[in-house]
Amino acid sequence: MDLVIKNGTIVTATESYQADIGVDGETIALIGRDLSGDEVIDANGLYVMPGGVDPHTHMELPFMGSVSADDFRTGTIAAACGGTTTIIDFAIQGAGQTLREALDIWLKKAEGKASIDYGMHVAIGAMDDERMAEMGDMVDIGVPSFKVFMAYKGSFMVDDETLFRSLLRAKEIGGLISVHAENGDVLNYLINKHVAEGKKEPIWHALSHPPETEAEATHRAVVLAGMTGAPLYVVHMTCADALEALKTGRAKGFKVYGETCPQYLMFSMEKYEEPGFEGAKYVMSPPLREKGNSEALWKGLASGDLQAVGTDHCPFNFVGQKDMGKDDFSKIPNGMPSVETRLPLIYHFGVNEGLFSINRFVELVATGPARLFGLLPRKGTIVIGADADLVIWDPDKEHRLTKENLHMNVDYSPYEDVTVKGYPALVLQRGQVIVKDNEFVGQVGAGRFLKRNPIHL
Ligand code: URP
Ligand code: ZN
Ligand code: ZN
């Protein structure tokens, strides 16, 4: 055995037990007692969990006149430091591009820079017969998930026909459609109205994106998924009413799944009224909601009504990017840094606070996303034959989530005042230690593109 991780408590989505893990090369070769190997890591008093799988990141995304501040190098290093060993990013089909062309652009961004393993979704910008055919090619090359934006009129938004055709095709080919569910036409009207009325402070971002527009779009997407029989994954869910729409669909037997993100669990829309322009740090779509919604989301994570926690990591610097919208909220680039803090926040506020078990935590941040997106059992769990992507988690380690203590390439932390208990001591990818004591010690660019399996949920 090349490496043995001894004396730890192995935690998967279903079990916690004491055993050693033997790693040969890049994969888990043995799980048992009293294993020996060339190299030994003593995990006494620590948890050994599968590396986190973040199914929703936007590295180097050109968006709203700017580009998200983390590229695949800085963003994946930050992800690793927070215990995430796999991300799935989004290649976005631009005007006149094929899906393949869009994918190639994003693969180029990642190549030589991604320092953890990564997959790609493709966001569909325009649908025609050729694109329908191309969706099948995407599945064949390991890209079985597609994104449809129901918002951002004038840029990413597509119409319902595109959504419906994408669902029909996904059902045929073993694909999964993700949706950004907000009613883009209504948002467009409200944004323009508020700006014209001179209502331009960050709070008007939230008031231009009311929860009804998310609930309505979620309901619409869920119904269309039900009509087609295709699986649907609703990204970054923020509010109780949208969650209700998802639950209703599931109760009818539709294969509909939901993700929320730490920012919607941690904050409410009061953030937009912080003095000065501070509220811009939290401008994203959908926006933060009124208090009460985050409680519904936490409950949804615990009960199984929600199936995954992603990040929607899409950071923009406060100075030089967010301030493009200093005089007009509609020009503030939408998005927040999140990829590094997902596991620590969900562990601290979910597990330490007694909302759910550590096994449910593993399900939400690793196993669930891996299962939904065609990566199980290679990623997201601890079984013989899986990649040895492991987080050695110290449940007693306290960490303040200040900008200085984090690695994301952005000039603020949304969590300056937050200290969590529970943090990675070591992170391994394919058997190699890549993070030790909050420092990346892996190899820049060593992340591999993951060809994922067709998705049959
Ligand atoms: O505000 C957000 N969420 N920015 C990233 C793009 C998206 O909608 O996922
Ligand atoms: Zn979105
Ligand atoms: Zn997103």
Side-chain angles (χ1 to χ4, degrees), residues 56-58 61 90 147 149 152 180 235-236 259 285 311-314:
H56 189 164
T57 65
H58 300 284
L61 173 70
F90 292 85
K147 173 81 166 282
F149 285 93
Y152 302 125
H180 172 134
V235 301
H236 51 39
E259 163 200 277
S285 294
T311 60
D312 191 18
H313 177 74
C314 191

Side-chain angles (χ1 to χ4, degrees), residues 53-120:
V53 177
D54 186 345
H56 189 164
T57 65
H58 300 284
M59 307 303 174
E60 225 179 304
L61 173 70
F63 188 39
M64 295 185 73
S66 201
V67 178
S68 61
D70 266 315
D71 65 12
F72 277 86
R73 183 183 67 81
T74 58
T76 54
I77 287 173
C81 290
T84 288
T85 51
T86 299
I87 60 164
I88 313 179
D89 209 272
F90 292 85
I92 300 188
Q93 183 197 7
Q97 284 173 357
T98 64
L99 302 184
R100 178 75 228 198
E101 283 164 350
L103 178 65
D104 285 345
I105 289 169
W106 256 264
L107 290 176
K108 232 190 190 112
K109 293 186 201 217
E111 200 185 319
K113 286 202 250 172
S115 302
I116 59 172
D117 291 353
Y118 58 96
M120 291 285 175

Side-chain angles (χ1 to χ4, degrees), residues 1 23 53 131 133 190 192 280-281 343 395 400 440 445 451:
M1 214 56 53
V23 177
V53 177
R131 250 32 67 206
L190 290 174
N192 289 336
K281 293 178 177 173
L343 268 66
R400 188 157 168 216
F440 182 75
K451 292 186 177 176

Side-chain angles (χ1 to χ4, degrees), residues 19 26 105 124 157 209 322 342 353 386 405 452:
E26 300 190 338
I105 289 169
I124 296 169
M157 179 174 158
H209 292 69
K322 289 283 186 184
R342 180 179 65 130
E353 291 293 321
N405 288 341
R452 293 177 289 127

